[in-house]
Structure formats: C-alpha cells, structure tokens
Amino acid sequence: MQWYLRAADQDLDVAQLNIGGLYENGYGVPQDYDKAFEWYQKAADQGNQEASNRIGKLVMNGKINDEDIVIYSTQETGLTLGDLENSSEN
C-alpha cells in the first residue's frame, strides 16, 4: 500500500485504480466501498476506463449510492446500461 500511495500521490492513475481494488476487496486494508469509490474516481477523472467500469459495477451491485455520480467514458463500447445489468446477473 505504501508504494501505491506514493505513486498515487504523483497522479498515477493505475496506482489509484489498484488502491481502489484493495479497498473494494479488503486486501491488506479493511473492506470499504466508499474509499474504493474515492480512489476509482481519482483514476476515472484522469481517463482510466477500468476505474469507470469498476465504479459502474459498485453502483449496479448496490455497494455505493449512485446519486450525483457522473462517469465519462473515454471510449465508445456500444453497450447500454441494460447490457451491463444483464452481464452482472450472469
């Protein structure tokens, strides 16, 4: 975590994404979906598409409140929210 935090402090989006993953899954830190979201949001704000995807999954799985969350996609996927909801049910 120490090294991820150092990299994240230098705005490395992959480190921010990885810290979010640690909090989401409770690896080495207490599981905390709100902290996971905060770190994913930092990475997503820099254009990290995987971070945006993970925020979407947190919302769809009811792990965080989606009120006032705005996610911008950096790529066109052709997927709709319905497609994503259906894939999460499988």
Side-chain angles (χ1 to χ4, degrees):
M1 178 62 106
Q2 175 185 346
W3 291 106
Y4 280 139
L5 288 171
R6 285 184 182 187
D9 285 342
Q10 296 178 30
D11 292 326
L12 184 62
D13 63 308
V14 175
Q16 294 165 341
L17 172 73
N18 288 335
I19 293 170
L22 294 176
Y23 278 112
E24 180 180 359
N25 296 296
Y27 296 143
V29 295
Q31 188 174 44
D32 187 325
Y33 296 118
D34 291 327
K35 285 186 180 180
F37 166 73
E38 289 174 22
W39 284 103
Y40 287 152
Q41 187 68 57
K42 288 178 183 188
D45 287 346
Q46 295 187 74
N48 187 300
Q49 186 62 46
E50 179 61 25
S52 293
N53 294 345
R54 291 188 187 183
I55 291 170
K57 288 179 183 179
L58 287 174
V59 169
M60 288 188 324
N61 291 327
K63 303 297 183 185
I64 59 172
N65 182 349
D66 63 346
E67 189 174 318
D68 298 325
I69 293 176
V70 177
I71 301 171
Y72 299 96
S73 176
T74 58
Q75 59 181 282
E76 298 218 13
T77 62
L79 295 175
T80 66
L81 183 56
D83 294 332
L84 294 173
E85 289 171 345
N86 290 338
S87 70
S88 71
E89 292 172 1
N90 295 330

